[in-house]
Amino acid sequence: MTVDELVFFVNGKKVVEKNADPETTLLAYLRRKLGLSGTKLGCGEGGCGACTVMLSKYDRFQNKIVHFSANACLAPICSLHHVAVTTVEGIGSTKSRLHPVQERIAKSHGSQCGFCTPGIVMSMYTLLRNQPEPTIEEIEDAFQGNLCRCTGYRPILQGFRTFARDGGCCGGSGNDLNCCMNQKTDHKQITLSPSLFNPEEFMPLDPTQEPIFPPELLRLKDTPQKQLRFEGERVTWIQASTLQELLDLKAQDPEAKLVVGNTEIGIEMKFKNKLFPKMVCPAWIPELNSVEHGPEGISFGASCPLSFVEKTLLDAVANLPAHQTEVFKGVLEQLRWFAGKQVKSVASIGGNIITASPISDLNPVFMASGAKLTIVSTGTRRAVRMDHTFFPAYRKTLLAPEEILLSIEIPYSREGEYFSAFKQASRREDDIAKVTSGMRVLFNPGTAQVKELALCYGGMHDRTVSALKTTRKQIANFWNEELLQNVCADLAEELSLAPDAPGGMVEFRRTLTLSFFFKFYLTVLQKLGIQNSKDKCGKLDPTHASATLLFQKDPPANVQLFQEVPKGQCEEDMVGRPLPHLAAAMQASGEAVYCDDIPRYENELSLRLVTSTRAHAKIKSIDTSEAQKVPGFVCFISADDVPGSNITGIGNDEMVFAKDKVTCIGHIIGAVVTDTREHAQRAAQAVRITYEDLPAIITIEDAIAKDSFYEPELKIEKGNLTKGFSEADNIVSGELYIGGQEHFYLETHCTIAVPKGEAGEMELFVSTQNTTKTQSFVANMLGVPANRILVRVKRMGGGFGGKDTRSSLVSTAVALAAYKTGRPVRCMLDRDEDMLITGGRHPFLARYKVGFMKTGRVVALKVEHYSNAGNTLDLSQYIMERALFHMDNSYNVPNIRGTGRICKTNLPSNTAFRGFGGPQAMLIAEYWMSEVAVTCGLPAEEVRRKNMYKEGDLTHFNQKLEGFNLFRCWDECLASSQYHARKREVDKFNE
């Protein structure tokens, strides 16, 4: 069977790929085949936006050229036939001319490590191609799908705000007393220091000077589309051009997977190791892209992107009578927080339904609304309501294997019908839900008597569910307090979760089901308003009205104030001057080289780690026979291949490769070496290891109970604790647990090892904060002098302590592979690997006892600190020492004792993290200080001030405090934040 050529454009240049592999993503193709390394790999699952590019195509259904952002890490190259791709390299360069977007993020200090910067630039660039004069809200929305770990977003938005047609908030006019351009004391307008950055120096944006859409693609707009076929190593991709072709393909092969945006299938292939031998793309089929405004609702073809659905519904809400758009508003509310632009631009409405996620944002809304689905196959066509029967089991729908979803009709709402949608996630933007819900009530005409009630939930079962037992009881009841109480009681019973339910947070999720209904109840009461004066209808308590409000983000308002350099300071003296990052322009243009951006060597190999799936176990056997069958397999390396010492680590208590026993999930057992990154992943998954489980210690409490600690126990003591407690008016005891934290540097760990061919000489390019330890660990492992190992670090895409000692986990393995094969070897961890293996901030448990006077003055303190170090000591002792030094925070406690125990557990070894133990100890101090204030019944700020160190005091480790500005800082913070005025407003609100 003939295979077609794939034709697309990248930065205006035509690309013809004769052997397109459906498993190849645009990101991999750009970086490896085209050498365009400005587009970065951050997470590989469309969550961080580091790989954002702009896609442009002629949309035959809208009859115009459309530009949209997309995640290159999820876009299969086979989906890009006759599409124009624009990367960060295609819009500007330091060698010729930066684009205004690149210039402004660089000069406004919006780039720090720079790894996320190209993706952020491309999100902004795409917005400007569609909207040359955006609002500040549109600018902020454009970045929902982009994460930045370093800058805190303020300088990014501050620089890009210069593109906005409004200034954000009140536009700097000073009309709003809370505007960032107003000083809080006298409301006089202040101006940004011209030396921070001067907008007048920025190049103007000229939309007429942007690269044109390739004329060759424009000429093809009237050419009939034909079916395409691409054959890869394991997967066949077929681009269907007509509905009949699609139905025939499904009839021939019912297991063929339909793919539109690849935002779900791509993740299943990458992270769940699923293989779909035949993939069919229906994105070109007219019937699957149509929109029809029918008598009962708006019908969308299943391939319609969510961004197009959103735009269509927004237009409908603006133009239709309000009572008809209740459901549309509910869908739009979910789409606000559904995902970033990059995902909504490619993900289809049909794909969202058929994925059948149990925590879907939209499926509970569609189910509650009674949306109508049209399902077709060869010779059959049926319409079904999306009700409680549509999802029979986990990730299953009613569709037969040969059937496809043709369209979904979202209904108009009727007179007397009300609808709300809810979602609760850890954060609002671009995050998966804990619980989602769609709720609908229809009243008998002119009354508040329930005719129909639908309460549908995601996140409360292994599929989207409708609370039928609850709702059926309420038919013919009136919308009042009694109904509220009954529904809440019934929901609590009907939507119970087992204590070990997947997703955890059981009590929180159960509470959400009730709180969502309470908000819905109040919202409906408010909408009923004065329409119903019947006694049987409830009345809205004015104090509850705020619960009916939809969340609205205030426009970002920010300003950075800094001390000007003194007049007369020498022009050559740079101290205190806000100079742009020296590499910012290169980072913004994608020219800055990170470890994995180094071009591949001609004979380079790829490495993938093989890690433990047990927390504590003996290794019984390692079987690599299946891995050896993977194309491109070169070798498997393990502890048996180490020529020097397999013992490594700061405390000489860990191994390069686990030998006989594993002590945590993620413990490195070995590594496979192959010709490509993809083959390495497949080979690593094929390695089979058998274990004999051993008892595991996971938590700090486990370690305390089993007396599992690293030595020594640490202690700092000052004063007479017994005397202090005996003099105290009050004594409070308690404990506080502080969880861990992931570093989440945007660039994961990466190493390239290049053997030099002489006596173990080797050059390593590493993303590390600790070149010295990398050198010594590799030399020790290879059994060669350290001067034969050269370690280079150009720059890192973030570190935060996570690339201090733990980067050697990857470096030593890669170095061994290079030594064994005699060829350059590269490894860049996937995000899930990185987070599994490398550890993070130490969880802490503190048990405290604090003695204090009635005035709030603390006289005695005893704190026992426990940290969860994990399976090796690493830097844990030094981190605990730092915690003990910070245990007083800013408070002078005359009698104090702090102890520290470092728990040995079966978790990946925790390590350095910004603050290095200080943040944990300081939080503990603030926790017991709050207890003191509450117990005394005194204002918290007064109690804190009363206990603060003064000039000349000695700390508990006998440092004399000189030039001490704490009181000045405290007073300035209280004044600039209007603390007392705000506190009065809070107290008044809570009365």
Side-chain angles (χ1 to χ4, degrees), residues 412-461:
Y412 304 124
S413 49
R414 295 161 282 181
E415 288 279 6
E417 188 170 35
Y418 302 96
F419 195 95
S420 289
F422 303 100
K423 171 183 177 178
Q424 185 65 50
S426 295
R427 63 174 190 201
R428 289 197 181 271
E429 286 98 343
D430 197 11
D431 195 11
I432 60 172
K434 306 297 181 195
V435 178
T436 58
S437 183
M439 298 186 176
R440 178 180 64 88
V441 64
L442 174 65
F443 295 112
N444 285 315
T447 74
Q449 186 182 42
V450 175
K451 183 178 181 182
E452 295 177 16
L453 180 63
L455 306 176
C456 301
Y457 288 93
M460 296 303 295
H461 207 282

Side-chain angles (χ1 to χ4, degrees), residues 637-652:
I637 57 173
S638 65
D640 297 333
D641 298 292
V642 175
S645 173
N646 194 42
I647 304 299
T648 187
I650 296 290
N652 289 320

Side-chain angles (χ1 to χ4, degrees), residues 726-776:
S726 67
E727 294 174 350
D729 293 330
N730 292 292
I731 295 176
V732 172
S733 299
E735 70 176 37
L736 173 66
Y737 176 76
I738 305 170
Q741 190 179 8
E742 172 57 39
H743 297 91
F744 203 75
Y745 26 73
L746 257 286
E747 176 203 34
T748 58
H749 284 277
C750 183
T751 296
I752 305 168
V754 185
K756 293 301 182 183
E758 288 188 26
E761 279 191 64
M762 190 171 293
E763 183 175 15
L764 287 91
F765 301 89
V766 190
S767 181
T768 182
Q769 294 171 268
N770 198 329
T771 51
T772 304
K773 288 298 180 187
T774 302
Q775 180 191 46
S776 63

Side-chain angles (χ1 to χ4, degrees), residues 681-990:
Q681 180 174 345
R682 283 165 54 188
Q685 289 157 3
V687 176
R688 295 287 173 260
I689 301 171
T690 56
Y691 304 91
E692 180 185 318
D693 286 324
L694 298 170
I697 297 171
I698 304 300
T699 66
I700 292 174
E701 289 86 348
D702 290 344
I704 295 171
K706 301 283 178 59
D707 196 31
S708 178
F709 299 108
Y710 293 100
E711 295 300 332
E713 180 179 359
L714 304 173
K715 183 170 76 170
I716 290 181
E717 188 169 17
K718 182 182 178 182
N720 187 328
L721 211 60
T722 304
K723 182 173 179 287
F725 279 121
S726 67
E727 294 174 350
D729 293 330
N730 292 292
I731 295 176
V732 172
S733 299
E735 70 176 37
L736 173 66
Y737 176 76
I738 305 170
Q741 190 179 8
E742 172 57 39
H743 297 91
F744 203 75
Y745 26 73
L746 257 286
E747 176 203 34
T748 58
H749 284 277
C750 183
T751 296
I752 305 168
V754 185
K756 293 301 182 183
E758 288 188 26
E761 279 191 64
M762 190 171 293
E763 183 175 15
L764 287 91
F765 301 89
V766 190
S767 181
T768 182
Q769 294 171 268
N770 198 329
T771 51
T772 304
K773 288 298 180 187
T774 302
Q775 180 191 46
S776 63
F777 288 172
V778 169
N780 185 51
M781 182 270 298
L782 292 178
V784 300
N787 63 4
R788 294 185 189 170
I789 308 299
L790 173 62
V791 180
R792 296 187 184 276
V793 181
K794 181 74 173 177
R795 62 170 52 84
M796 287 182 295
F800 318 108
K803 293 179 179 174
D804 189 336
T805 55
R806 306 316 289 165
S807 61
S808 62
L809 293 170
V810 179
S811 299
T812 48
V814 174
L816 177 60
Y819 173 84
K820 181 173 180 177
T821 62
R823 293 166 64 176
V825 178
R826 179 184 311 232
C827 175
M828 184 177 185
L829 298 183
D830 278 337
R831 176 63 62 193
D832 59 326
E833 271 188 298
D834 193 289
M835 295 177 80
L836 176 72
I837 293 167
T838 57
R841 192 188 291 282
H842 287 67
F844 263 60
L845 175 68
R847 292 174 175 168
Y848 62 85
K849 179 181 177 184
V850 57
F852 51 97
M853 311 307 289
K854 293 176 182 176
T855 60
R857 182 78 179 92
V858 176
V859 293
L861 173 67
K862 176 186 174 185
V863 185
E864 298 170 355
H865 301 82
Y866 299 90
S867 69
N868 194 331
N871 68 332
T872 71
L873 184 59
D874 194 63
L875 296 168
S876 300
Q877 180 177 332
Y878 310 113
I879 288 163
M880 182 58 80
E881 289 173 358
R882 177 63 64 87
L884 294 182
F885 288 136
H886 282 285
M887 66 174 288
D888 58 340
N889 198 6
S890 305
Y891 308 118
N892 188 352
V893 183
N895 307 292
I896 185 170
R897 180 193 296 156
T899 57
R901 299 304 308 268
I902 304 160
C903 299
K904 185 176 185 178
T905 65
N906 297 116
L907 291 180
S909 187
N910 287 310
T911 188
F913 201 121
R914 274 190 174 172
F916 210 72
Q920 292 98 317
M922 293 158 73
L923 178 59
I924 292 161
E926 291 305 319
Y927 187 81
W928 57 251
M929 184 57 78
S930 294
E931 290 274 289
V932 170
V934 169
T935 304
C936 292
L938 296 171
E941 69 277 9
E942 287 182 17
V943 174
R944 283 179 164 83
R945 186 184 180 95
K946 191 173 293 182
N947 284 284
M948 286 178 181
Y949 282 113
K950 300 179 180 66
E951 175 75 23
D953 283 346
L954 287 177
T955 66
H956 64 302
F957 50 89
N958 290 327
Q959 177 186 357
K960 188 175 182 180
L961 300 174
E962 298 175 310
F964 197 56
N965 294 319
L966 179 58
F967 281 105
R968 177 185 161 194
C969 292
W970 181 257
D971 291 339
E972 285 186 9
C973 285
L974 287 177
S976 64
S977 66
Q978 296 180 295
Y979 174 83
H980 293 290
R982 289 169 186 259
K983 187 181 177 189
R984 283 194 296 271
E985 289 181 21
V986 170
D987 291 341
K988 184 178 178 182
F989 180 84
N990 287 328

Side-chain angles (χ1 to χ4, degrees), residues 570-582:
C570 176
E571 286 296 321
E572 282 87 28
D573 185 353
M574 295 297 109
V575 175
R577 301 185 190 277
L579 301 176
H581 192 312
L582 284 175

